[in-house]
């Protein structure tokens, strides 16, 4: 994923299926090329490089 796409997702009110290592996540905030993400299946948050995130409908459909 690009930083521009991550910004678009963060600003958009629609739900986007975003993943990291096959785990569904949501983008909480962005800092340059890193995103603070929350994992949907737990209360864990983590800082991850944006280029490691992907949308399911683009790569795993």
């Amino acid at each position: 994923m690009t930083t521009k796409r991550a910004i678009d997702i963060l600003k958009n009110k629609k739900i986007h299926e975003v993943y990291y290592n096959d785990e569904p996540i949501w983008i909480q905030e962005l800092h340059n090329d890193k995103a603070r993400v929350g994992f949907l299946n737990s209360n864990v948050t983590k800082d991850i490089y944006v280029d490691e995130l992907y949308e399911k409908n683009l790569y795993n459909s």
Side-chain angles (χ1 to χ4, degrees):
M1 175 175 295
T2 65
T3 301
K4 181 185 179 320
R5 180 64 181 142
I7 291 169
D8 291 343
I9 289 171
L10 192 58
K11 289 181 178 179
N12 195 315
K13 299 293 183 205
K14 291 173 44 177
I15 295 174
H16 295 270
E17 293 185 45
V18 179
Y19 292 81
Y20 169 73
N21 285 345
D22 294 330
E23 294 281 336
I25 58 96
W26 79 92
I27 300 171
Q28 296 178 341
E29 54 189 47
L30 294 168
H31 299 284
N32 299 317
D33 60 346
K34 283 193 170 183
R36 163 113 350 145
V37 303
F39 290 81
L40 295 181
N41 298 329
S42 69
N43 291 328
V44 175
T45 59
K46 188 173 182 179
D47 291 333
I48 298 171
Y49 285 103
V50 172
D51 63 1
E52 296 182 64
L53 306 177
Y54 60 93
E55 293 178 81
K56 182 174 183 164
N57 60 347
L58 295 179
Y59 298 105
N60 296 337
S61 36

